Amino acid sequence: MTLYDLLKRDEGVVDHVYYLNGIPHCGVGHNLVTGPRLTPAAMDLILRDDVAVFASQMAEAVTGWAALNDARQAVLISVAYQCGMAGFLGFEKMLHAVAQRDYHTAAMELRNSQLARQNVARTAQLAVMLETGRWPLALEERT
């Protein structure tokens, strides 16, 4: 047995937030209030895991997913990341346009969404990416 095995046995392994004595925890007894702060490496690992889950769900839910370039896939994952998968699936007109490869209409549907009214700048940039299939210049330079 290792220390990790011992802690998993004693603390339990929980894949969602739970409360113990009114304090939120997750994972293997990680106290979200007074426990160690998440390191950049831990946050990056969680982000990469979240993106992988969304990408897998997109492959099942979005007609033509595999044919989309990386910028357009990134837009759809970003929308799902903001809205959750159930909220994302509510973008029926946008998804229909994506399936038809009508990216102008898909971008228009994104621009006309409640999400766009809540996150104006972010959604405007995503709509441009969806329509053009290109990353914003500032992001292209970093990749």
Side-chain angles (χ1 to χ4, degrees):
M1 177 176 269
T2 68
L3 168 62
Y4 302 107
D5 296 328
L6 177 71
L7 289 172
K8 286 178 182 179
R9 184 196 72 189
D10 293 347
E11 295 287 336
V13 179
V14 182
D15 66 356
H16 58 275
V17 173
Y18 64 95
Y19 291 83
L20 183 62
N21 300 322
I23 299 170
H25 291 71
C26 69
V28 181
H30 182 81
N31 183 317
L32 292 168
V33 175
T34 62
R37 295 287 179 213
L38 294 178
T39 64
M43 289 185 281
D44 193 56
L45 181 64
I46 291 168
L47 174 61
R48 290 177 185 282
D49 190 55
D50 288 349
V51 167
V53 168
F54 279 119
S56 176
Q57 291 173 333
M58 294 287 168
E60 295 291 321
V62 177
T63 302
W65 171 256
L68 296 174
N69 71 8
D70 61 339
R72 289 185 171 120
Q73 286 183 350
V75 168
L76 299 186
I77 290 173
S78 180
V79 171
Y81 205 90
Q82 291 180 77
C83 301
M85 197 62 184
F88 169 78
L89 293 174
F91 285 79
E92 293 175 8
K93 292 178 182 177
M94 180 188 75
L95 292 172
H96 178 74
V98 166
Q100 301 299 313
R101 296 183 183 197
D102 180 357
Y103 302 117
H104 174 75
T105 299
M108 183 182 69
E109 292 296 335
L110 183 56
R111 286 182 184 103
N112 291 330
S113 69
Q114 181 178 350
L115 180 65
R117 290 184 290 282
Q118 294 170 342
N119 296 298
V120 177
R122 179 177 179 175
T123 307
Q125 185 174 67
L126 292 175
V128 169
M129 289 173 62
L130 184 57
E131 188 164 13
T132 64
R134 293 185 46 87
W135 291 93
L137 187 57
L139 294 176
E140 284 181 342
E141 293 170 359
R142 288 191 279 172
T143 58

